[in-house]
Amino acid sequence: MRTVRRRNRCHSNLLKNSATALFATGLAALTVVSCSSGPGSTDPKPTPSKSASGKPAPADAAARKDALAAYAGMRTEQVKAFAKGRASGTKLEKYASDKALATIEGSLFRYRQAGITFKGQPKSTTKVTALSLDKKPKTATVTECWDTTHWNPVVESTGKDAASGNQPRRYTVTGTVRTIGESWMVVGLTVDKDHPC
């Protein structure tokens, strides 16, 4: 009888120890699973701006395209305005607003007062270097290499070249582009002639 009780006690202890071990193992496994995606995890996580393939998400790609289109539209209309000395008859206000529009119109006014228009065609190489779509308005930063080598100021009445020989012809411009309603527009321009491109 004692032998049977001793065996039952041993069997009972063995079951308790096994259950404890399984619980501990299960808890450890649960901890590993729950921590593997926690704050300290080194598992790669997709960012909102990237798809699983590493390419920009469709929303990002569309926003970049729209921001660059607004910037290109502004430059196209600016060239038209500078060719005739006035912004009337152009679509400059469709693409530029705020400080960017004031900067372009201010320059245009000064050249018009001096009797200067522009001939030729500049070149512009642009890329979006920052993008924020989380808040409204959505914003983008466009970095541009603005090349005025073949875009020259001339005296309107004589056609004589009015370019200053000591001015850089290729330099960096940083544009601030944001949504106004549903449209992307250029709202700021920072010219950096100390950084040729």
Side-chain angles (χ1 to χ4, degrees):
M1 188 73 175
R2 286 181 184 173
T3 306
V4 172
R5 285 182 184 168
R6 196 174 296 144
R7 281 180 185 167
N8 286 342
R9 203 178 302 131
C10 287
H11 184 68
S12 176
N13 287 339
L14 182 61
L15 287 174
K16 284 181 184 175
N17 290 340
S18 298
T20 303
L22 283 171
F23 178 75
T25 306
L27 186 61
L30 183 63
T31 304
V32 169
V33 170
S34 63
C35 290
S36 65
S37 59
S41 171
T42 57
D43 292 346
K45 294 185 180 104
T47 62
S49 62
K50 298 281 185 179
S51 66
S53 65
K55 294 179 181 178
D60 281 20
R64 288 171 186 272
K65 182 179 178 181
D66 291 345
L68 290 175
Y71 199 93
M74 175 202 69
R75 285 305 196 193
T76 297
E77 298 306 312
Q78 177 187 356
V79 170
K80 290 178 184 177
F82 276 57
K84 60 183 184 176
R86 59 188 56 82
S88 59
T90 71
K91 297 177 182 176
L92 188 59
E93 291 185 3
K94 177 181 178 181
Y95 301 104
S97 182
D98 202 11
K99 292 179 181 178
L101 183 60
T103 297
I104 293 171
E105 288 186 332
S107 296
L108 190 58
F109 176 78
R110 287 189 294 276
Y111 283 122
R112 185 168 62 247
Q113 291 295 99
I116 292 173
T117 56
F118 280 70
K119 303 296 180 188
Q121 192 70 34
K123 291 182 181 178
S124 172
T125 305
T126 58
K127 64 180 177 179
V128 174
T129 51
L131 185 67
S132 175
L133 305 180
D134 297 334
K135 297 178 181 178
K136 289 188 177 182
K138 299 171 184 176
T139 60
T141 301
V142 173
T143 300
E144 174 188 40
C145 178
W146 183 234
D147 183 354
T148 63
T149 304
H150 302 291
W151 191 49
N152 299 304
V154 296
V155 178
E156 187 175 17
S157 59
T158 64
K160 184 179 178 181
D161 186 9
S164 173
N166 60 356
Q167 288 293 316
R169 304 306 298 265
R170 289 171 55 98
Y171 48 87
T172 302
V173 180
T174 302
T176 302
V177 189
R178 71 175 177 91
T179 52
I180 297 178
E182 296 300 315
S183 301
W184 286 87
M185 296 187 76
V186 185
V187 295
L189 291 171
T190 303
V191 176
D192 189 354
K193 292 189 177 181
D194 292 331
H195 285 82
C197 54

